[in-house]
Amino acid sequence: MRISVIGCGYLGAVHAACMAKLGHDVVGIDLDKNKVDLLSQGQAPFYEPTLNELLSELEGCGRLRFTTEMAAARGSEVHFVCVGTPQKRGENGADLRFVDAAVEALIGQVAPGDVIAGKSTVPVGTAARLAELLAETEPGATLVWNPEFLREGHAVTDTLNPDRFVYGLPDGSEDHPAVAVLDMVYATPLGSGTPRLITDYATAELVKTAANSFLATKISFINAMAEVCEATGGDVTKLADAIGLDDRIGRKFLNAGIGFGGGCLPKDIRAFMARAGELGADQALTFLREVDAINMRRRTRVVELTRELCGGSLMGQRIAVLGAAFKPESDDVRDSPALSAAAQLQLQGAVVTVTDPQALDNAAKRFPELPMEPDLETTLHKADAVLLLTEWRQYRELDPHDTLALVTAPRILDGRNVLDPAKWRAAGWTYKGLGRP
Ligand code: UDX
């Protein structure tokens, strides 16, 4: 099929490459010329495992190209809208400027029978509003809301083999011709048994925000348990193992630590609360305010625990921060709990050095005054305390004996509860986890 993908960020670049991998003829469109140039040379403009390999594999196949020209969308049968919906400055709601602009520009290029498939995460009600706009100009085309659930770090496999497809249609009807069009796009994963659900617009939009709210709630739940463990001497990791064995609960997303960040969960729960408020359903989501508050408290807790670890004062203490990305296998630092804690520690007088295998360039753009060091050993050199804040494999696998030789004081704060406390203590370290005795 001929496909256009509007917006070539984390979502769109991966989607475009994966659609070409599935055999389609794809044009990716983005206003950012740098992004388009890099992608045209087979290079991802951000770090995402296996994406560069996929782009190189597709180079020369003639089925994937990138451009800044919206007119290139003309002639495609399906147009995927993959632009960002960041949090509004100073407000909780989502900023829909990019989605609105993309759809308005696209409308001039679509023909009867075309399908515009919205993949961006939007507040409920957006699809109905955009469909009205489309009906005024090109009533023969259809808008479908087709949310994306990919995780950064696993984006390629999540796109090629998702857990489910959701098609939100104007009337929620299985018989709408747009269903067959999207079924053709996703023929390969549907053929291998991926479930597909047909809903109305509102439900499709809500599936995405509800899923992210649930995940955020699960993380904040276990982080709340970590707070209780800290007050009682319990161990939240063992608690999570034990409750996670109940398959109604499940162990996934029960890792207590410094909390969630990134470009999705924090802003999605806030946008969801803001939208519910507009709809007069704010009471239904007041619990998300608590989810957000528990999450933000974790960052403060890291600062408090580091102060304790350093004997009561942060002033002049050399702190090695391992991790800047909001999670491993990503160079994304949007709302990164690691960076937010590092910046707080610096403000409170600590001499902080941050290292990360992939995210330092992005981190330096956001926090230009925070010293960054690409080399792990140099970061650890003469540290008064080590903070593991993003659980990259190389930090999880640090050897306590080798590390001991580098630092001034053997103190470690395991912000992701991924180290073996007994091993580190046996090697002479003062070990602190979050929610662990
Ligand atoms: C999330 C959703 O998982 C995905 O389905 C949606 O499409 C986009 O938002 P992503 O932001 O890539 O994906 O990351 P995710 O793996 O969900 O992690 C989010 C944050 O939660 C990270 O900061 C991670 O470190 C944290 N986390 C995750 C925990 O603190 N504990 C856990 O147990 C799991």
Side-chain angles (χ1 to χ4, degrees):
M1 306 208 41
R2 277 164 301 142
I3 288 176
S4 78
V5 176
I6 320 303
C8 296
Y10 286 98
L11 166 58
V14 173
H15 195 69
C18 289
M19 292 302 103
K21 171 79 179 165
L22 292 178
H24 304 300
D25 190 350
V26 183
V27 58
I29 304 173
D30 198 290
L31 294 173
D32 183 339
K33 188 168 178 313
N34 282 339
K35 237 181 236 176
V36 165
D37 288 346
L38 280 171
L39 286 162
S40 301
Q41 292 157 24
Q43 272 184 342
F46 47 84
Y47 176 71
E48 178 61 44
T50 76
L51 180 58
N52 271 333
E53 289 80 348
L54 179 59
L55 289 168
S56 328
E57 179 195 322
L58 293 164
E59 237 187 337
C61 75
R63 290 201 315 272
L64 179 63
R65 65 198 173 91
F66 295 93
T67 174
T68 52
E69 297 299 323
M70 187 56 101
R74 189 173 286 270
S76 290
E77 301 148 276
V78 183
H79 311 268
F80 286 103
V81 176
C82 296
V83 295
T85 51
Q87 188 173 339
K88 275 188 200 156
R89 205 171 269 274
E91 280 178 57
N92 270 349
D95 184 345
L96 293 177
R97 271 180 302 171
F98 305 111
V99 171
D100 289 353
V103 172
E104 278 162 26
L106 195 52
I107 283 176
Q109 310 298 336
V110 297
D114 282 8
V115 172
I116 297 182
K119 295 203 85 65
S120 310
T121 303
V122 291
V124 58
T126 307
R129 176 172 63 75
L130 295 173
E132 266 179 43
L133 203 67
L134 178 63
E136 285 165 18
T137 328
E138 187 43 84
T142 307
L143 179 78
V144 180
W145 216 260
N146 175 219
E148 179 57 54
F149 304 96
L150 65 79
R151 296 161 298 167
E152 286 179 25
H154 304 268
V156 173
T157 40
D158 281 355
T159 306
L160 292 172
N161 299 298
D163 292 336
R164 73 298 210 186
F165 290 107
V166 175
Y167 304 172
L169 286 149
D171 51 2
S173 140
E174 292 260 352
D175 306 324
H176 196 290
V179 173
V181 175
L182 277 190
D183 280 355
M184 267 192 276
V185 172
Y186 298 129
T188 309
L190 286 172
S192 56
T194 304
R196 179 260 264 153
L197 286 93
I198 311 273
T199 69
D200 50 47
Y201 283 148
T203 308
E205 292 165 321
L206 284 168
V207 170
K208 178 61 195 264
T209 29
N212 276 356
S213 299
F214 190 83
L215 294 172
T217 305
K218 210 169 169 190
I219 300 169
S220 276
F221 172 81
I222 202 67
N223 280 331
M225 294 305 110
E227 288 187 16
V228 179
C229 284
E230 278 158 19
T232 58
D235 184 336
V236 74
T237 59
K238 295 203 173 115
L239 174 77
D241 290 344
I243 62 172
L245 283 168
D246 180 334
D247 65 7
R248 293 170 303 174
I249 296 172
R251 180 65 177 80
K252 287 182 187 161
F253 268 69
L254 281 185
N255 295 321
I258 62 169
F260 58 81
C264 294
L265 300 192
K267 66 112 177 147
D268 286 352
I269 59 168
R270 291 174 194 152
F272 199 16
M273 285 185 270
R275 185 64 185 135
E278 286 166 9
L279 295 166
D282 43 337
Q283 265 198 327
L285 299 187
T286 44
F287 74 96
L288 286 179
R289 222 183 295 156
E290 204 49 47
V291 166
D292 201 1
I294 293 166
N295 193 50
M296 298 316 278
R297 275 209 298 274
R298 293 282 82 192
R299 300 177 186 192
T300 322
R301 183 76 186 136
V302 169
V303 178
E304 281 167 17
L305 281 176
T306 310
R307 197 193 317 277
E308 273 175 36
L309 204 56
C310 293
S313 168
L314 287 167
M315 206 51 74
Q317 293 288 312
R318 293 169 61 99
I319 310 289
V321 169
L322 313 189
F326 83 104
K327 69 172 191 182
E329 298 306 328
S330 170
D331 64 357
D332 196 345
V333 298
R334 285 177 291 174
D335 210 348
S336 163
L339 272 186
S340 144
Q344 259 310 312
L345 287 163
Q346 190 189 40
L347 276 177
Q348 300 199 22
V351 181
V352 177
T353 306
V354 180
T355 191
D356 190 285
Q358 293 292 341
L360 289 190
D361 288 348
N362 286 341
K365 279 181 216 147
R366 233 156 240 249
F367 290 93
E369 278 158 28
L370 210 47
M372 311 278 167
E373 168 53 57
D375 183 64
L376 176 56
E377 278 198 16
T378 313
T379 308
L380 292 166
H381 190 63
K382 295 211 166 105
D384 294 309
V386 178
L387 272 50
L388 193 167
L389 299 188
T390 311
E391 68 277 33
W392 289 93
R393 187 183 43 78
Q394 47 271 61
Y395 308 154
R396 290 196 314 259
E397 291 177 355
L398 269 178
D399 180 79
H401 295 282
D402 297 347
T403 314
L404 192 73
L406 297 168
V407 299
T408 298
R411 303 161 172 156
I412 187 153
L413 174 64
D414 180 4
R416 298 291 186 170
N417 292 334
V418 286
L419 301 175
D420 177 353
K423 210 166 113 188
W424 283 76
R425 284 180 181 135
W429 288 78
T430 303
Y431 169 97
K432 270 188 195 293
L434 271 81
R436 291 175 116 176

mmCIF file of all heavy atoms in Angstrom, residues 148-152 208 212 215 219 253-255 259-261 264-265 326-327 416, ligand 1:
data_model
loop_
_atom_site.group_PDB
_atom_site.id
_atom_site.type_symbol
_atom_site.label_atom_id
_atom_site.label_comp_id
_atom_site.label_asym_id
_atom_site.label_seq_id
_atom_site.Cartn_x
_atom_site.Cartn_y
_atom_site.Cartn_z
ATOM 1 N N GLU A 148 -1.209 4.263 19.258
ATOM 2 C CA GLU A 148 0.039 3.500 19.239
ATOM 3 C C GLU A 148 0.465 3.257 20.674
ATOM 4 O O GLU A 148 0.374 4.153 21.500
ATOM 5 C CB GLU A 148 1.081 4.350 18.502
ATOM 6 C CG GLU A 148 2.439 3.735 18.402
ATOM 7 C CD GLU A 148 2.407 2.398 17.728
ATOM 8 O OE1 GLU A 148 1.876 2.299 16.604
ATOM 9 O OE2 GLU A 148 2.901 1.423 18.333
ATOM 10 N N PHE A 149 0.948 2.056 20.963
ATOM 11 C CA PHE A 149 1.304 1.724 22.350
ATOM 12 C C PHE A 149 2.783 1.406 22.514
ATOM 13 O O PHE A 149 3.181 0.776 23.491
ATOM 14 C CB PHE A 149 0.471 0.519 22.823
ATOM 15 C CG PHE A 149 -1.011 0.744 22.689
ATOM 16 C CD1 PHE A 149 -1.701 0.282 21.579
ATOM 17 C CD2 PHE A 149 -1.710 1.439 23.668
ATOM 18 C CE1 PHE A 149 -3.066 0.502 21.445
ATOM 19 C CE2 PHE A 149 -3.068 1.658 23.547
ATOM 20 C CZ PHE A 149 -3.759 1.190 22.433
ATOM 21 N N LEU A 150 3.618 1.822 21.541
ATOM 22 C CA LEU A 150 5.021 1.390 21.595
ATOM 23 C C LEU A 150 5.756 1.991 22.798
ATOM 24 O O LEU A 150 5.455 3.081 23.266
ATOM 25 C CB LEU A 150 5.760 1.731 20.301
ATOM 26 C CG LEU A 150 5.971 3.183 19.889
ATOM 27 C CD1 LEU A 150 7.109 3.849 20.629
ATOM 28 C CD2 LEU A 150 6.252 3.239 18.397
ATOM 29 N N ARG A 151 6.721 1.200 23.275
ATOM 30 C CA ARG A 151 7.602 1.670 24.354
ATOM 31 C C ARG A 151 8.927 2.064 23.741
ATOM 32 O O ARG A 151 9.441 1.341 22.868
ATOM 33 C CB ARG A 151 7.898 0.531 25.345
ATOM 34 C CG ARG A 151 6.715 0.019 26.094
ATOM 35 C CD ARG A 151 7.024 -1.365 26.658
ATOM 36 N NE ARG A 151 7.288 -2.329 25.586
ATOM 37 C CZ ARG A 151 7.818 -3.533 25.760
ATOM 38 N NH1 ARG A 151 8.179 -3.927 26.960
ATOM 39 N NH2 ARG A 151 8.013 -4.361 24.743
ATOM 40 N N GLU A 152 9.495 3.180 24.171
ATOM 41 C CA GLU A 152 10.840 3.512 23.708
ATOM 42 C C GLU A 152 11.776 2.393 24.169
ATOM 43 O O GLU A 152 11.580 1.796 25.223
ATOM 44 C CB GLU A 152 11.278 4.862 24.278
ATOM 45 C CG GLU A 152 10.563 5.995 23.581
ATOM 46 C CD GLU A 152 10.931 7.375 24.123
ATOM 47 O OE1 GLU A 152 12.022 7.534 24.677
ATOM 48 O OE2 GLU A 152 10.090 8.280 23.981
ATOM 49 N N LYS A 208 -5.873 4.566 24.981
ATOM 50 C CA LYS A 208 -4.474 4.951 25.157
ATOM 51 C C LYS A 208 -4.248 5.660 26.489
ATOM 52 O O LYS A 208 -3.340 5.304 27.248
ATOM 53 C CB LYS A 208 -4.045 5.843 23.984
ATOM 54 C CG LYS A 208 -2.639 6.359 24.054
ATOM 55 C CD LYS A 208 -1.629 5.227 24.060
ATOM 56 C CE LYS A 208 -0.260 5.691 24.489
ATOM 57 N NZ LYS A 208 0.620 6.010 23.440
ATOM 58 N N ASN A 212 -2.046 4.156 29.770
ATOM 59 C CA ASN A 212 -0.911 4.846 30.385
ATOM 60 C C ASN A 212 -1.213 5.238 31.830
ATOM 61 O O ASN A 212 -0.329 5.210 32.689
ATOM 62 C CB ASN A 212 -0.502 6.067 29.553
ATOM 63 C CG ASN A 212 0.425 5.659 28.409
ATOM 64 O OD1 ASN A 212 0.809 4.507 28.300
ATOM 65 N ND2 ASN A 212 0.772 6.603 27.556
ATOM 66 N N LEU A 215 -0.713 2.098 33.923
ATOM 67 C CA LEU A 215 0.716 1.799 34.127
ATOM 68 C C LEU A 215 1.326 2.756 35.152
ATOM 69 O O LEU A 215 2.069 2.337 36.045
ATOM 70 C CB LEU A 215 1.474 1.901 32.794
ATOM 71 C CG LEU A 215 1.085 0.853 31.742
ATOM 72 C CD1 LEU A 215 1.742 1.163 30.402
ATOM 73 C CD2 LEU A 215 1.481 -0.553 32.216
ATOM 74 N N ILE A 219 2.955 1.828 38.944
ATOM 75 C CA ILE A 219 4.289 2.235 39.426
ATOM 76 C C ILE A 219 4.151 3.052 40.709
ATOM 77 O O ILE A 219 4.881 2.836 41.679
ATOM 78 C CB ILE A 219 5.052 3.042 38.344
ATOM 79 C CG1 ILE A 219 5.248 2.208 37.083
ATOM 80 C CG2 ILE A 219 6.411 3.504 38.873
ATOM 81 C CD1 ILE A 219 5.745 3.001 35.875
ATOM 82 N N PHE A 253 5.877 -3.915 35.874
ATOM 83 C CA PHE A 253 5.576 -2.537 36.277
ATOM 84 C C PHE A 253 5.370 -2.397 37.782
ATOM 85 O O PHE A 253 4.655 -1.519 38.247
ATOM 86 C CB PHE A 253 4.390 -1.964 35.483
ATOM 87 C CG PHE A 253 4.873 -1.246 34.249
ATOM 88 C CD1 PHE A 253 5.432 -1.954 33.202
ATOM 89 C CD2 PHE A 253 4.826 0.138 34.153
ATOM 90 C CE1 PHE A 253 5.942 -1.307 32.086
ATOM 91 C CE2 PHE A 253 5.330 0.801 33.039
ATOM 92 C CZ PHE A 253 5.892 0.068 31.999
ATOM 93 N N LEU A 254 6.027 -3.287 38.533
ATOM 94 C CA LEU A 254 6.015 -3.150 39.994
ATOM 95 C C LEU A 254 7.434 -2.939 40.509
ATOM 96 O O LEU A 254 7.775 -3.385 41.604
ATOM 97 C CB LEU A 254 5.404 -4.394 40.644
ATOM 98 C CG LEU A 254 3.885 -4.510 40.644
ATOM 99 C CD1 LEU A 254 3.432 -5.743 41.432
ATOM 100 C CD2 LEU A 254 3.210 -3.264 41.239
ATOM 101 N N ASN A 255 8.267 -2.279 39.702
ATOM 102 C CA ASN A 255 9.619 -1.989 40.172
ATOM 103 C C ASN A 255 9.626 -0.618 40.840
ATOM 104 O O ASN A 255 9.480 0.403 40.173
ATOM 105 C CB ASN A 255 10.612 -2.024 39.013
ATOM 106 C CG ASN A 255 10.710 -3.422 38.435
ATOM 107 O OD1 ASN A 255 10.697 -4.411 39.176
ATOM 108 N ND2 ASN A 255 10.759 -3.527 37.121
ATOM 109 N N GLY A 259 10.866 6.372 40.212
ATOM 110 C CA GLY A 259 9.597 6.739 39.590
ATOM 111 C C GLY A 259 9.650 6.860 38.078
ATOM 112 O O GLY A 259 10.697 6.691 37.460
ATOM 113 N N PHE A 260 8.481 7.166 37.516
ATOM 114 C CA PHE A 260 8.380 7.203 36.048
ATOM 115 C C PHE A 260 8.659 8.599 35.514
ATOM 116 O O PHE A 260 8.447 9.606 36.184
ATOM 117 C CB PHE A 260 7.013 6.697 35.571
ATOM 118 C CG PHE A 260 5.814 7.443 36.099
ATOM 119 C CD1 PHE A 260 5.416 8.641 35.522
ATOM 120 C CD2 PHE A 260 5.065 6.935 37.150
ATOM 121 C CE1 PHE A 260 4.300 9.320 35.991
ATOM 122 C CE2 PHE A 260 3.946 7.605 37.635
ATOM 123 C CZ PHE A 260 3.564 8.807 37.051
ATOM 124 N N GLY A 261 9.151 8.623 34.267
ATOM 125 C CA GLY A 261 9.380 9.879 33.556
ATOM 126 C C GLY A 261 9.119 9.635 32.087
ATOM 127 O O GLY A 261 8.349 8.747 31.725
ATOM 128 N N CYS A 264 5.781 10.374 27.859
ATOM 129 C CA CYS A 264 4.389 9.894 27.797
ATOM 130 C C CYS A 264 3.682 9.875 29.148
ATOM 131 O O CYS A 264 2.760 10.654 29.362
ATOM 132 C CB CYS A 264 4.345 8.502 27.174
ATOM 133 S SG CYS A 264 4.849 8.532 25.452
ATOM 134 N N LEU A 265 4.113 8.978 30.056
ATOM 135 C CA LEU A 265 3.301 8.782 31.271
ATOM 136 C C LEU A 265 3.037 10.078 32.036
ATOM 137 O O LEU A 265 1.863 10.376 32.330
ATOM 138 C CB LEU A 265 3.926 7.730 32.203
ATOM 139 C CG LEU A 265 4.123 6.304 31.667
ATOM 140 C CD1 LEU A 265 4.471 5.352 32.804
ATOM 141 C CD2 LEU A 265 2.908 5.785 30.930
ATOM 142 N N PHE A 326 15.495 8.739 30.788
ATOM 143 C CA PHE A 326 14.378 8.415 31.701
ATOM 144 C C PHE A 326 14.237 6.918 31.913
ATOM 145 O O PHE A 326 13.597 6.479 32.863
ATOM 146 C CB PHE A 326 13.062 9.013 31.187
ATOM 147 C CG PHE A 326 12.346 8.213 30.138
ATOM 148 C CD1 PHE A 326 11.221 7.464 30.469
ATOM 149 C CD2 PHE A 326 12.770 8.201 28.824
ATOM 150 C CE1 PHE A 326 10.533 6.729 29.508
ATOM 151 C CE2 PHE A 326 12.096 7.458 27.853
ATOM 152 C CZ PHE A 326 10.981 6.719 28.205
ATOM 153 N N LYS A 327 14.877 6.131 31.038
ATOM 154 C CA LYS A 327 14.944 4.685 31.226
ATOM 155 C C LYS A 327 16.069 4.157 30.343
ATOM 156 O O LYS A 327 16.525 4.876 29.444
ATOM 157 C CB LYS A 327 13.608 4.021 30.885
ATOM 158 C CG LYS A 327 13.241 4.049 29.414
ATOM 159 C CD LYS A 327 12.004 3.195 29.199
ATOM 160 C CE LYS A 327 11.724 2.953 27.743
ATOM 161 N NZ LYS A 327 10.522 2.172 27.525
ATOM 162 N N ARG A 416 17.108 2.331 41.495
ATOM 163 C CA ARG A 416 16.217 1.439 40.732
ATOM 164 C C ARG A 416 16.119 0.043 41.351
ATOM 165 O O ARG A 416 15.526 -0.850 40.740
ATOM 166 C CB ARG A 416 16.706 1.328 39.286
ATOM 167 C CG ARG A 416 16.697 2.644 38.517
ATOM 168 C CD ARG A 416 15.275 3.124 38.236
ATOM 169 N NE ARG A 416 15.261 4.300 37.399
ATOM 170 C CZ ARG A 416 14.158 4.802 36.857
ATOM 171 N NH1 ARG A 416 12.976 4.243 37.093
ATOM 172 N NH2 ARG A 416 14.202 5.875 36.125
HETATM 173 C C1 UDX B 1 4.980 4.228 27.890
HETATM 174 C C2 UDX B 1 4.032 3.048 27.705
HETATM 175 O O1 UDX B 1 4.633 1.878 28.303
HETATM 176 C C3 UDX B 1 3.750 2.801 26.237
HETATM 177 O O2 UDX B 1 2.833 1.750 26.088
HETATM 178 C C4 UDX B 1 3.186 4.097 25.650
HETATM 179 O O3 UDX B 1 2.961 3.916 24.266
HETATM 180 C C5 UDX B 1 4.132 5.251 25.882
HETATM 181 O O4 UDX B 1 4.411 5.379 27.271
HETATM 182 P P1 UDX B 1 7.610 4.588 27.591
HETATM 183 O O5 UDX B 1 7.384 5.999 28.030
HETATM 184 O O6 UDX B 1 8.500 4.313 26.417
HETATM 185 O O7 UDX B 1 6.223 3.877 27.268
HETATM 186 O O8 UDX B 1 8.284 3.821 28.830
HETATM 187 P P2 UDX B 1 7.864 2.722 29.914
HETATM 188 O O9 UDX B 1 8.625 1.486 29.648
HETATM 189 O O10 UDX B 1 6.406 2.615 30.073
HETATM 190 O O11 UDX B 1 8.474 3.391 31.232
HETATM 191 C C6 UDX B 1 7.984 4.629 31.714
HETATM 192 C C7 UDX B 1 8.696 5.045 32.966
HETATM 193 O O12 UDX B 1 8.316 4.226 34.059
HETATM 194 C C8 UDX B 1 10.231 4.961 32.912
HETATM 195 O O13 UDX B 1 10.772 6.116 33.520
HETATM 196 C C9 UDX B 1 10.543 3.729 33.720
HETATM 197 O O14 UDX B 1 11.831 3.782 34.306
HETATM 198 C C10 UDX B 1 9.441 3.764 34.775
HETATM 199 N N1 UDX B 1 9.124 2.458 35.365
HETATM 200 C C11 UDX B 1 8.638 1.447 34.595
HETATM 201 C C12 UDX B 1 9.275 2.278 36.738
HETATM 202 O O15 UDX B 1 9.688 3.175 37.470
HETATM 203 N N2 UDX B 1 8.927 1.058 37.277
HETATM 204 C C13 UDX B 1 8.460 0.031 36.537
HETATM 205 O O16 UDX B 1 8.173 -1.033 37.107
HETATM 206 C C14 UDX B 1 8.306 0.230 35.154
#
